[in-house]
Amino acid sequence: MPPAAPAAMPPAAPATTPPAAAPTAKPPAIPAADKLFAEGMTALQEGGHERALELFSAAWKEQPGHAGVAREFDGALLALKKSGDAAYAQKKWGDAGKRWMGTLRFITHPAANGRNYPFTRSEVRAKVDNLTAALTEKALTEYRREEVPAAIADWKTILSYDPGHEEAARSLQTATKQLETLKKMPPGR
């Protein structure tokens, strides 16, 4: 028997263009308050208590009563104050002052529930005032001993957490001028 002829191939279908893709729906936009809150939670997890409170405050401004902010704000504020206490215990005066000043800045925020805090605003203010008084006394003592660079460092520390402290600013300016004058003097004088 002769071999069978191969079956004829059906004619190729004419090229067709695929159907137009249906437009994809955009995911719903995340509200700005929720984005700010999420950024605040990230900052909080990274130990940035003050940054978290700034972002929580912005979220609250966008959406007063934001549930996440209401839930997390107090814990972040307590952690900020506690980190100020820890910095003070480690003799990191500038860090302590900055964290306590941050605590004072946020303790009156509408999301703060101060009745649940183990400290009052006036107690934190007293910590800042006592720190400033101690650093001022230390700087003046150093200045009188002609330890001008050490005095300058102490006044700069005060200004790092309290930029509006006029006495520290004036003292820093005076001591800086004196140090510049001393540097210009020939040795042995």
Side-chain angles (χ1 to χ4, degrees):
M1 209 170 173
M9 297 286 286
T16 59
T17 55
T24 56
K26 289 185 180 179
I30 299 173
D34 291 343
K35 285 181 184 177
L36 290 164
F37 174 71
E39 290 176 30
M41 288 303 294
T42 299
L44 191 58
Q45 291 166 354
E46 294 172 354
H49 305 111
E50 190 164 4
R51 179 69 181 139
L53 288 164
E54 290 167 356
L55 291 162
F56 291 165
S57 294
W60 190 273
K61 186 176 180 180
E62 285 287 324
Q63 182 185 337
H66 188 281
V69 173
R71 182 182 64 245
E72 300 294 335
F73 196 91
D74 289 331
L77 187 61
L78 290 167
L80 178 60
K81 197 290 195 164
K82 187 176 178 181
S83 72
D85 295 345
Y88 183 83
Q90 296 169 3
K91 300 183 191 251
K92 295 179 180 177
W93 313 129
D95 290 342
K98 288 175 191 172
R99 292 168 189 169
W100 289 338
M101 290 295 275
T103 301
L104 290 172
R105 195 167 115 221
F106 291 108
I107 200 168
T108 58
H109 189 275
N113 185 4
R115 290 183 302 270
N116 293 334
Y117 300 156
F119 55 85
T120 64
R121 185 182 201 308
S122 58
E123 289 170 344
V124 177
R125 181 78 246 173
K127 284 179 176 279
V128 172
D129 292 345
N130 291 337
L131 175 61
T132 301
L135 285 171
T136 299
E137 183 62 33
K138 182 175 178 278
L140 289 171
T141 300
E142 291 162 341
Y143 187 78
R144 287 182 197 117
R145 289 186 197 150
E146 297 182 9
E147 298 169 4
V148 179
I152 287 173
D154 290 332
W155 284 313
K156 283 182 176 181
T157 298
I158 293 169
L159 293 170
S160 74
Y161 64 82
D162 189 358
H165 196 278
E166 293 177 10
E167 181 184 348
R170 278 192 309 272
S171 297
L172 174 63
Q173 185 178 21
T174 300
T176 301
K177 284 180 184 175
Q178 182 183 5
L179 187 60
E180 289 170 6
T181 302
L182 289 172
K183 286 181 179 179
K184 290 177 185 176
M185 294 177 71
R189 287 194 117 176

